[in-house]
């Protein structure tokens, strides 16, 4: 149990106190003193490790199952003795252009907060330190922990969205950059740019799965009627909801811009292919003229004009050159070459 319990502390009057090392005794002390609560933080517990916590804190079996199984979408569920919230922290690796999500479950009840974290994203140490530095906020009880955790996660959403926007601008510049002869083949070979755009779109979709479903729970927390949420904490949740709306708008704009960039790239590829086909056709037309002349004079007929003429051979060669020059200049003027 010590391996999965990250921290356990009793908070009274907005300050951390030295409580019993056992969380059962800590919960009893927080309830008996009045106005306090215990915050138990856990990291990827197993079913056996979480069973004692479930029985001591009176957690609902369905919420416990969700907390242990993970792979949940962001949500807020109200049970008789507790409030269950699921958040999805997001991290972005700029070097690999990869968005990864973790999961954070919170049980909010009478004088207790239990956090269960899955994945490497969003460790709660900084959140705990920030809360302990603001006793006025911490006096609001377990709902202050829910606010601080959700606020930290949503703020990080906006940071990730900004990083994605920066990388997308670089990708956009690459797509619309003029293609010279030295990198034309690289730009057209294997659909590399299209593959990068599609991969980027998948990362934005993963980001959207974390931010989109969280809007409804944040709106509920900002309104009235949610148990175990302090009345004075609701304005804070409205602020989180506002930030989340901005993050969702950023994700939507990223998705639309990616679709536009992909369409523009495909259109560019079509234009380049048409341009290449015109050039191929122009060179084929230029090659057809001498081929036709040589084919005619290569036929084995005895009576053909100019066969007995001394200057017939250089005259035909000169005619081929003149026709090739005329065709070349015509195609060049029309932009086919």
């Amino acid at each position: 149990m010590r391996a999965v319990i990250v921290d356990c502390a009793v908070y009274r009057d907005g300050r951390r106190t030295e409580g019993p090392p056992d969380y059962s005794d800590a919960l009893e002390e927080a309830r008996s003193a009045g106005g306090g609560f215990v915050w138990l933080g856990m990291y990827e517990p197993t079913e056996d490790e979480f069973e004692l916590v479930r029985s001591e804190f009176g957690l609902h079996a369905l919420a416990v199952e969700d907390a242990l199984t993970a792979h949940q979408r962001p949500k807020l569920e109200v049970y008789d003795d507790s409030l269950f919230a699921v958040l999805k922290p997001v991290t972005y690796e700029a070097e690999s252009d990869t968005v990864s999500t973790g999961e954070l479950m919170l049980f909010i009840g009478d004088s207790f907060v239990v956090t269960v974290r899955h994945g490497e994203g969003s460790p709660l140490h900084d959140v705990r330190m920030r809360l302990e530095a603001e006793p006025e906020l911490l006096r609001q009880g377990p709902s202050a922990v829910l606010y601080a955790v959700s606020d930290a996660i949503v703020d990080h959403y906006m940071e990730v969205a900004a990083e994605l926007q920066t990388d997308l601008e670089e990708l956009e510049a690459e797509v619309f950059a003029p293609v010279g002869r030295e990198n034309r083949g690289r730009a057209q070979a294997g659909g590399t740019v299209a593959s990068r755009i599609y991969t980027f779109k998948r990362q934005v979709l993963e980001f959207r799965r974390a931010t989109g479903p969280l809007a409804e729970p944040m709106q509920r927390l900002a309104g009235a009627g949610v148990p175990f949420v302090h009345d004075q904490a609701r304005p804070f949740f409205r602020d989180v909801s506002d930030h989340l709306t901005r993050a969702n708008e950023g994700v939507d704009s990223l998705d639309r811009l990616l679709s536009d960039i992909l369409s523009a790239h495909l259109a560019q590829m079509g234009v380049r292919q048409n341009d290449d086909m015109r050039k191929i056709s122009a060179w084929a037309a230029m090659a057809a003229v001498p081929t036709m002349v040589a084919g005619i004079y290569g036929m084995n007929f005895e009576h053909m004009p100019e066969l007995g003429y001394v200057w017939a051979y250089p005259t035909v060669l000169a005619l081929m050159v003149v026709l090739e020059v005329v065709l070349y200049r015509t195609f060049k003027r029309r932009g086919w070459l």
Side-chain angles (χ1 to χ4, degrees), residues 275 278-283 331-337:
D275 186 51
R278 286 190 305 177
K279 292 184 178 181
I280 293 172
S281 300
W283 286 110
F331 293 145
K332 190 72 173 177
R333 186 170 58 252
R334 294 184 178 181
W336 288 27
L337 291 174

Side-chain angles (χ1 to χ4, degrees), residues 11 13 32 47 99 116 145 179 235 237 271 280 284 290 292 308 314 320 324:
Y11 295 89
D13 195 26
S32 61
E47 183 176 356
V99 172
V116 181
V145 177
V179 181
F237 286 110
V271 171
I280 293 172
M292 179 188 65
M320 291 182 183
E324 290 295 299

Side-chain angles (χ1 to χ4, degrees), residues 9-223:
V10 175
Y11 295 89
R12 187 180 298 107
D13 195 26
R15 299 189 181 279
R16 180 169 180 153
T17 62
E18 293 297 331
D22 183 78
Y23 57 83
S24 300
D25 297 334
L27 177 61
E28 183 179 353
E29 178 180 317
R31 286 175 172 173
S32 61
F37 69 96
V38 58
W39 181 359
L40 174 65
M42 306 185 71
Y43 178 71
E44 296 186 352
T46 64
E47 183 176 356
D48 294 336
E49 291 169 336
F50 202 69
E51 176 59 27
L52 185 58
V53 176
R54 183 200 66 79
S55 60
E56 289 291 337
F57 288 85
L59 306 179
H60 197 278
L62 292 177
V64 170
E65 181 181 357
D66 289 344
L68 294 176
T69 306
H71 304 293
Q72 305 292 320
R73 69 194 303 270
K75 60 182 179 179
L76 179 69
E77 294 182 349
V78 178
Y79 296 99
D80 294 335
D81 298 325
S82 63
L83 185 70
F84 179 63
V86 179
L87 307 175
K88 294 183 75 69
V90 172
T91 57
Y92 179 60
E93 295 293 338
E95 297 180 357
S96 59
D97 295 338
T98 303
V99 172
S100 58
T101 58
E103 291 192 39
L104 183 61
M105 289 78 168
L106 296 95
F107 296 88
I108 309 295
D110 179 22
S111 302
F112 71 85
V113 179
V114 178
T115 56
V116 181
R117 184 165 59 93
H118 294 267
E120 297 300 326
S122 186
L124 298 179
H125 176 74
D126 293 341
V127 176
R128 195 184 285 261
M129 293 297 101
R130 194 190 91 184
L131 264 179
E132 292 177 358
E134 299 182 29
E136 288 298 326
L137 178 60
L138 202 53
R139 285 193 182 96
Q140 298 178 12
S143 55
V145 177
L146 179 58
Y147 155 71
V149 171
S150 58
D151 182 60
I153 291 176
V154 171
D155 284 348
H156 193 61
Y157 285 165
M158 301 180 67
E159 296 175 6
V160 172
E163 293 177 358
L164 285 171
Q165 181 67 39
T166 300
D167 288 351
L168 183 58
E169 291 174 357
E170 296 176 358
L171 181 60
E172 183 181 17
E174 180 180 343
V175 169
F176 292 102
V179 181
R181 294 180 178 178
E182 66 279 359
N183 59 355
R184 189 182 187 87
R186 184 185 65 182
Q188 294 179 346
T192 304
V193 176
S195 176
R196 286 187 58 195
I197 296 174
Y198 181 74
T199 301
F200 207 109
K201 197 172 181 65
R202 288 290 301 270
Q203 303 309 314
V204 172
L205 177 61
E206 183 70 17
F207 191 16
R208 184 196 292 273
R209 289 173 179 169
T211 62
L214 188 58
E216 190 269 339
M218 286 297 108
Q219 292 175 357
R220 288 178 60 190
L221 289 171

Side-chain angles (χ1 to χ4, degrees), residues 198-265:
Y198 181 74
T199 301
F200 207 109
K201 197 172 181 65
R202 288 290 301 270
Q203 303 309 314
V204 172
L205 177 61
E206 183 70 17
F207 191 16
R208 184 196 292 273
R209 289 173 179 169
T211 62
L214 188 58
E216 190 269 339
M218 286 297 108
Q219 292 175 357
R220 288 178 60 190
L221 289 171
V226 180
F228 308 108
V229 176
H230 200 284
D231 290 338
Q232 296 180 358
R234 293 193 174 96
F236 295 98
F237 286 110
R238 282 199 295 269
D239 181 67
V240 175
S241 180
D242 179 63
H243 291 178
L244 181 61
T245 300
R246 291 167 55 190
N248 281 322
E249 290 174 351
V251 174
D252 291 340
S253 64
L254 286 173
D255 187 61
R256 289 194 300 268
L257 186 57
L258 275 169
S259 298
D260 294 341
I261 291 175
L262 181 59
S263 299
H265 174 67

